[in-house]
Amino acid sequence: MNDIVKLGTRRQKMEAKERAILQAARNELSQHGFEGAKMSAIARAAEVAEGTVYLYYRNKRELLDAVVSEFWQTLTTGARVVTGQHETTLDKLRALAEFHLKELVKDFDFVGFTVRTRETGTLDSPSLTPIRAYVAVFDEIFRQGQDRGTLVTASPLWVVRDLFYGTLEYASRTLHLHQERRHEEVVDHLIELIQRCYGADPSQAQVGALEAIEQRLQSIERQLTNQ
Amino acid sequence: MNDIVKLGTRRQKMEAKERAILQAARNELSQHGFEGAKMSAIARAAEVAEGTVYLYYRNKRELLDAVVSEFWQTLTTGARVVTGQHETTLDKLRALAEFHLKELVKDFDFVGFTVRTRETGTLDSPSLTPIRAYVAVFDEIFRQGQDRGTLVTASPLWVVRDLFYGTLEYASRTLHLHQERRHEEVVDHLIELIQRCYGADPSQAQVGALEAIEQRLQSIERQLTNQ
DNA sequence: ATTAATAATGATTTAGGCTCATTTATATTG
DNA sequence: CAATATAAATGAGCCTAAATCATTATTAAT
């Protein structure tokens, strides 16, 4: 065997081990929460000695930070895919909102873990990087909307961003507590709000709303006649 | 000494001790965070043996839950005072938003602790009660606005509440990271948004009509899906 | 094949939450 | 007031789980 292959296998083994640990940590974390997650259980699940975990991550916090980072990275990828399937700014925003809310409700605890990670975090904390990358998805869409002239606002972007993500994050908590409430309602409301407040043409917004109602009416009529 | 005085002093002593423990816990918590807070340090600060703490609180989590509860109770009192000083619905809302944001930024970590408290919380978890009492302040103001006719919306209250508190909570995080940004900007923006979207304005009559239709549609859709 | 370097191990150390047998303080009663 | 009963407080010690590190195993280089 030549050097490169040998070197490669060793690296590959380590990388596989790291992935296994991260995956085990993710499972343990979502099953038992932050305090409940045991390093011993993670090591066992990853089929690794307890000490080995500490070769890859300095301590428990760092390992769980890594899990949270991975979570946001995955979210970023998903958000780009989903928003990429739409053309207009408002469609993109709606898709992003739906995706965001759905994922937050699904992996609800990770929001809490993220907050915890930030607890002692400073402005340049590395644990913030993946979150920055994620919110950038919104920023890009919104800026594009402004460039295209479909969105108009005097407010700085960060204010609108707080509104967007803040509403959705808080709503995810509400939805998590009251399972019966509907996700769509939150998204509909938020998007309509953005449309009304930042949409370039308010009269156009109402036309859009009328069209949406028309469609839903037709859907209802269809359901009624099918019965 | 008569019985009542004797009984009184004993109770008073215990109540004083409980307050001391709670206060010590609060300090320890805001200084060292959730994991960093040591029961031994809390006991020492409260001038009490470590075992004594466990006579008043079953375990660490319960003690820290109590701290968080107290935090929200204090917030509720403050919010009532502040909003009581205003007449119109929008002034009340603005005052509430300003107060809320200011307090959240001041005691920033407590939001994180709250989220943590909820981690395993269910719908009827007692740790939710003080938070419910707090958000009720908003609910009352908003409903009053609807009764008076200054606010009009077809959206359910909880959606608007998520918008209000969600935006502010998320903004408090942003503000905590970027100290240079201004609180007022967030509040101004939020209130203007509410005014524009929910303010009763004759020129927005069509919007109101649309919302009424929306409401009825949702009701019909719900009936259909329930069948 | 030998040696050097790196990775992995798990027994041991350490720290902090929590318990409980004992002690101290308060209330009750004759 | 003394004797007794009850409630509150104590802190040494237990237990669990994170983190360490001397030792062993594996891989790479010569």
Side-chain angles (χ1 to χ4, degrees):
Chain A
M1 286 189 237
N2 65 53
D3 297 2
I4 295 159
V5 169
K6 273 190 177 176
L7 211 84
T9 45
R10 181 171 228 188
R11 257 213 188 116
Q12 280 168 358
K13 272 189 183 175
M14 287 186 70
E15 275 161 12
K17 216 160 258 191
E18 180 160 10
R19 271 199 309 277
I21 292 170
L22 207 59
Q23 185 56 48
R26 198 199 150 106
N27 290 341
E28 178 77 4
L29 193 58
S30 52
Q31 269 177 14
H32 300 102
F34 203 89
E35 273 91 39
K38 293 184 212 162
M39 295 299 272
S40 55
I42 293 169
R44 205 176 325 116
E47 294 180 309
V48 142
E50 214 170 324
T52 306
V53 178
Y54 291 90
L55 297 176
Y56 293 84
Y57 301 93
R58 224 192 315 270
N59 51 40
K60 186 178 176 179
R61 149 137 294 165
E62 242 180 47
L63 170 56
L64 301 190
D65 278 4
V67 174
V68 170
S69 287
E70 200 204 25
F71 169 72
W72 288 103
Q73 279 164 32
T74 311
L75 225 57
T76 304
T77 313
R80 290 210 182 281
V81 169
V82 162
T83 56
Q85 289 161 355
H86 297 271
E87 269 308 309
T88 75
T89 302
L90 277 168
D91 284 347
K92 279 172 188 278
L93 282 182
R94 172 181 289 278
L96 179 62
E98 267 168 12
F99 173 78
H100 184 72
L101 192 58
K102 200 188 73 205
E103 294 296 310
L104 283 207
V105 172
K106 198 176 72 183
D107 286 325
F108 177 70
D109 292 333
F110 281 79
V111 181
F113 303 150
T114 305
V115 172
R116 183 158 329 177
T117 288
R118 288 192 198 173
E119 200 157 273
T120 50
T122 52
L123 193 58
D124 55 336
S125 151
S127 70
L128 280 176
T129 313
I131 296 162
R132 290 236 167 78
Y134 182 65
V135 298
V137 177
F138 171 84
D139 291 3
E140 283 164 27
I141 296 172
F142 202 88
R143 282 219 189 82
Q144 195 188 48
Q146 287 178 304
D147 293 344
R148 287 178 181 176
T150 47
L151 293 179
V152 178
T153 175
S155 313
L157 181 53
W158 66 272
V159 172
V160 190
R161 195 201 296 136
D162 285 353
L163 176 91
F164 186 82
Y165 284 119
T167 301
L168 291 175
E169 186 178 310
Y170 204 94
S172 80
R173 240 183 269 161
T174 314
L175 290 165
H176 190 257
L177 281 174
H178 306 85
Q179 279 87 352
E180 78 278 10
R181 288 177 176 173
R182 291 170 56 244
H183 298 201
E184 295 166 34
E185 215 165 343
V186 177
V187 175
D188 286 350
H189 182 255
L190 181 62
I191 297 299
E192 201 200 311
L193 207 98
I194 289 175
Q195 201 163 8
R196 254 212 262 170
C197 289
Y198 310 118
D201 186 357
S203 70
Q204 210 54 32
Q206 283 167 29
V207 172
L210 274 176
E211 276 168 4
I213 287 173
E214 172 67 24
Q215 275 174 11
R216 281 158 69 189
L217 267 175
Q218 285 177 8
S219 155
I220 290 169
E221 282 168 354
R222 242 174 284 128
Q223 286 182 50
L224 280 173
T225 51
N226 284 349
Q227 283 171 357
Chain B
M1 286 191 237
N2 66 56
D3 297 1
I4 296 161
V5 168
K6 272 190 177 176
L7 212 84
T9 44
R10 182 172 227 189
R11 257 211 190 118
Q12 280 168 357
K13 272 188 183 176
M14 286 187 70
E15 275 162 12
K17 215 160 258 191
E18 181 160 8
R19 272 200 308 278
I21 292 170
L22 206 61
Q23 184 56 48
R26 197 199 151 106
N27 289 342
E28 179 77 4
L29 192 59
S30 52
Q31 270 177 13
H32 300 101
F34 204 90
E35 273 92 38
K38 293 182 214 163
M39 294 300 271
S40 55
I42 292 169
R44 207 178 322 120
E47 294 180 310
V48 142
E50 212 170 326
T52 305
V53 177
Y54 290 90
L55 296 176
Y56 292 84
Y57 301 93
R58 224 191 317 270
N59 51 41
K60 184 178 177 179
R61 148 139 295 165
E62 244 181 46
L63 171 55
L64 300 191
D65 278 4
V67 173
V68 170
S69 289
E70 200 205 24
F71 169 73
W72 288 102
Q73 280 164 31
T74 311
L75 225 57
T76 305
T77 312
R80 289 212 182 280
V81 169
V82 161
T83 56
Q85 290 162 354
H86 297 271
E87 269 309 309
T88 75
T89 302
L90 277 169
D91 284 346
K92 279 172 190 282
L93 281 182
R94 172 182 291 276
L96 179 61
E98 267 169 12
F99 174 78
H100 184 73
L101 192 57
K102 199 188 73 205
E103 294 296 310
L104 283 207
V105 171
K106 197 176 72 181
D107 286 324
F108 177 71
D109 292 333
F110 280 80
V111 181
F113 303 152
T114 304
V115 172
R116 182 158 329 176
T117 287
R118 288 192 198 174
E119 201 156 90
T120 52
T122 53
L123 194 57
D124 56 336
S125 154
S127 69
L128 280 176
T129 313
I131 296 161
R132 290 235 168 79
Y134 182 65
V135 298
V137 177
F138 171 84
D139 290 4
E140 284 165 26
I141 296 171
F142 202 87
R143 283 219 189 81
Q144 195 187 47
Q146 286 179 306
D147 293 345
R148 287 179 181 176
T150 47
L151 293 179
V152 177
T153 174
S155 313
L157 181 54
W158 65 274
V159 172
V160 190
R161 195 200 297 137
D162 285 354
L163 176 91
F164 186 81
Y165 284 119
T167 301
L168 291 176
E169 186 178 310
Y170 204 93
S172 80
R173 238 182 270 160
T174 314
L175 289 165
H176 190 256
L177 281 174
H178 307 84
Q179 279 86 352
E180 77 278 11
R181 287 176 176 172
R182 290 170 56 244
H183 298 200
E184 296 164 34
E185 215 165 345
V186 177
V187 175
D188 287 349
H189 182 255
L190 181 63
I191 297 299
E192 198 200 314
L193 207 97
I194 289 175
Q195 199 162 9
R196 252 212 266 174
C197 289
Y198 309 119
D201 180 351
S203 74
Q204 302 248 324
Q206 303 121 348
V207 175
L210 270 179
E211 274 170 2
I213 291 173
E214 169 72 22
Q215 206 172 16
R216 283 158 66 191
L217 259 178
Q218 284 181 10
S219 155
I220 291 169
E221 283 170 347
R222 242 172 280 129
Q223 285 180 46
L224 276 174
T225 50
N226 285 348
Q227 283 172 356

